[in-house]
Amino acid sequence: MPHKNPLPRLKRIRRIATALLAAMAIIFVAARLLQVDYPWLGFVAAFAEAAMVGGLADWFAVTALFRHPLGLPIPHTAIIPRNKDRIGVNIAEFLEHNFITHEVLQDELRDVDFAGVSARWLADDANSRAVAERLVGTIPAIVNMIDDRDAAEFFRGALGSSLKDVRLAPILGQVLTVLVAGRQHVRLLQRVLGLVGHALEENRGYIRQKVHDHSPSWMPRMVDEKFFERLMNGIQSILDDMADEQGEWRARFHTAIEELIDDLQHSPEYEEKLRTLLANGLHHPLFREYVANVWTDIRARLQTAGTSPDSRLLARAQDALQVFAAALQENPAIRTKLNDWLRGFAITAIVERRSLIVAVVQRVIDKWDAETISQKLEQQVGSDLQFIRINGTLVGGVVGLVLYVASLALHS
């Protein structure tokens, strides 16, 4: 709630109490002077006299709380300034054992719908957008805190750790089994044979020159040409045989694939070879460079997404928050569970740290000097204490009047 300065009210009530005391003094003097001519003024004088006594006594009591009355060092006055440290300790203990307790907080937070309020707040586009911007906006700062080499090493280590307990050979065997079942291995073979044949045709001139370069100088050119043609025809014949589905080469290929699948699924030797191959690959400079490039690309994308107001990451974060808010509003059971968890977490966190909270209160009070704490307390409760002065004046007057009447009755 907004803070109101209590000083103006204190001054106003203090002036009223002081004016009432002064009025009683004036009335007392006037009544005494005129009592000879007007005997009934004895009642007025008795009321005013007792009112002065009550008013002065309460003025002394109220003033003695905060300072020495009239500046005189009367014993047991200026109570608050003299006991500043003890007051700080008592206030801290009072807060700790009467306000910051599990029972009080449980009772105060019982009806607070944390989840519902949050869901309704997040359902607003502006609010969910603001939260999403905050969340996404922290990404560049977090990314900048990460060293590139550390990040690349982390990803490489994470990949190695994730594959440590995985049996690679049986998985590869299962993949090959699926490929064979769908005849994908045949398509792959035909594709490879086609590429080899195309490469031979495209590089006939280069192969011819190599054959000529490696032939003896005395060998006639015609012999080189015949050797080249036989070589190319022989290679092409082998490729044709391998492409023939009914040929011997194709049967050998199928047999080799089946043996490889069986070895992968049952041979520890193949598992060890794959493990060694994987370890060498993970430590190879080319793989390290690749991982570093991947991290650099991820970092650049995250930094762009965190600073761009039109990034897809920001839009998705906002959509996710609104979906979460809608789901929370439509599901009372989840909302109740979340409220219970938040309430329990808040109560536990506050109660477990209440000594720290009250320590702050005590340290602040300890830093105040005697005059400061006296002024602050007087401003907060002084106006109510001035009513004690007013009541003391009036009640004192009534008591004095009753006693005056009683004394008259006893003497009559």
Side-chain angles (χ1 to χ4, degrees):
M1 65 176 57
H3 175 72
K4 294 183 179 180
N5 185 7
L7 188 57
R9 183 171 183 268
L10 170 61
K11 290 182 177 180
R12 179 170 56 84
I13 304 300
R14 180 187 291 164
R15 284 195 295 267
I16 293 174
T18 303
L20 181 60
L21 179 60
M24 293 299 103
I26 294 172
I27 292 173
F28 172 73
V29 173
R32 284 299 187 191
L33 292 176
L34 299 175
Q35 185 176 355
V36 176
D37 298 325
Y38 304 97
W40 59 270
L41 288 176
F43 295 96
V44 177
F47 178 88
E49 180 179 15
M52 282 192 301
V53 173
L56 284 171
D58 287 334
W59 165 82
F60 182 90
V62 170
T63 303
L65 287 172
F66 306 103
R67 65 186 64 83
H68 296 294
L70 302 177
L72 300 175
I74 303 172
H76 303 293
T77 58
I79 295 172
I80 291 176
R82 287 192 302 105
N83 297 276
K84 176 182 74 71
D85 295 336
R86 184 163 57 87
I87 291 173
V89 174
N90 291 338
I91 291 177
E93 290 181 352
F94 182 75
L95 289 174
E96 180 176 3
H97 298 292
N98 293 277
F99 288 88
I100 315 177
T101 66
H102 189 279
E103 293 75 15
V104 171
L105 293 175
Q106 180 71 33
D107 185 63
E108 291 295 323
L109 299 179
R110 180 179 293 110
D111 298 327
V112 179
D113 185 10
F114 297 101
V117 172
S118 301
R120 290 190 294 273
W121 189 81
L122 282 175
D124 184 84
D125 289 341
N127 295 333
S128 59
R129 176 77 177 187
V131 175
E133 288 177 349
R134 290 282 186 177
L135 293 175
V136 176
T138 60
I139 293 178
I142 296 175
V143 170
N144 289 331
M145 294 171 59
I146 303 174
D147 183 77
D148 290 344
R149 290 176 297 180
D150 293 339
E153 188 65 22
F154 170 78
F155 285 127
R156 190 185 64 80
L159 179 59
S161 299
S162 62
L163 296 176
K164 182 176 62 175
D165 298 326
V166 178
R167 296 187 61 197
L168 302 176
I171 293 178
L172 183 57
Q174 292 176 3
V175 171
L176 288 177
T177 301
V178 173
L179 292 177
V180 169
R183 294 184 57 80
Q184 297 298 323
H185 68 304
V186 175
R187 294 188 180 94
L188 179 60
L189 176 62
Q190 291 174 340
R191 178 63 176 167
V192 171
L193 293 176
L195 291 174
V196 172
H198 179 73
L200 287 173
E201 190 65 30
E202 290 289 326
N203 294 278
R204 287 182 67 88
Y206 176 77
I207 297 173
R208 178 184 286 111
Q209 184 62 40
K210 285 297 182 180
V211 169
H212 177 70
D213 292 343
H214 287 79
S215 296
S217 58
W218 49 266
M219 182 75 70
R221 185 81 173 183
M222 182 178 61
V223 176
D224 287 348
E225 286 294 328
K226 289 184 177 181
F227 177 76
F228 167 72
E229 290 297 335
R230 289 182 178 181
L231 175 64
M232 296 299 293
N233 291 336
I235 295 175
Q236 187 62 50
S237 176
I238 293 174
L239 294 178
D240 292 340
D241 289 343
M242 296 178 68
D244 183 10
E245 294 190 6
Q246 304 301 324
E248 182 181 355
W249 280 95
R250 184 60 61 87
R252 292 179 182 178
F253 175 70
H254 284 300
T255 302
I257 291 292
E258 291 174 356
E259 291 177 352
L260 177 60
I261 292 175
D262 184 72
D263 289 338
L264 288 173
Q265 291 180 339
H266 303 98
S267 175
E269 181 182 354
Y270 274 80
E271 179 68 25
E272 185 63 29
K273 288 180 179 180
L274 287 175
R275 287 284 174 195
T276 303
L277 182 63
L278 176 63
N280 294 336
L282 291 177
H283 290 86
H284 197 279
L286 290 178
F287 182 77
R288 289 176 178 270
E289 182 181 358
Y290 172 75
V291 173
N293 292 336
V294 171
W295 164 247
T296 301
D297 182 64
I298 293 174
R299 177 175 182 169
R301 291 176 181 272
L302 289 175
Q303 288 178 328
T304 301
T307 55
S308 174
D310 300 323
S311 69
R312 288 186 297 175
L313 181 60
L314 178 60
R316 290 177 180 177
Q318 182 179 3
D319 292 341
L321 288 172
Q322 291 188 331
V323 169
F324 171 74
L328 204 56
Q329 285 181 302
E330 296 171 0
N331 196 322
I334 297 298
R335 196 164 61 246
T336 300
K337 290 182 179 180
L338 185 58
N339 279 329
D340 292 340
W341 181 84
L342 290 172
R343 191 178 299 112
F345 175 79
I347 292 174
T348 302
I350 294 173
V351 172
E352 288 182 352
R353 293 162 179 79
R354 63 181 178 180
S355 58
L356 300 177
I357 298 173
V358 299
V360 173
V361 176
Q362 186 172 344
R363 283 199 300 271
V364 171
I365 294 177
D366 290 342
K367 291 178 182 178
W368 292 341
D369 55 38
E371 183 178 357
T372 299
I373 190 172
S374 178
Q375 289 177 351
K376 289 183 177 294
L377 289 177
E378 185 176 14
Q379 289 178 13
Q380 296 299 321
V381 301
S383 57
D384 295 317
L385 295 177
Q386 298 305 314
F387 280 108
I388 294 178
R389 292 179 55 194
I390 295 173
N391 293 336
T393 301
L394 298 176
V395 172
V398 172
V399 172
L401 180 60
V402 171
L403 293 176
Y404 180 73
V405 172
S407 65
L408 291 179
L410 292 174
H411 288 85
S412 61

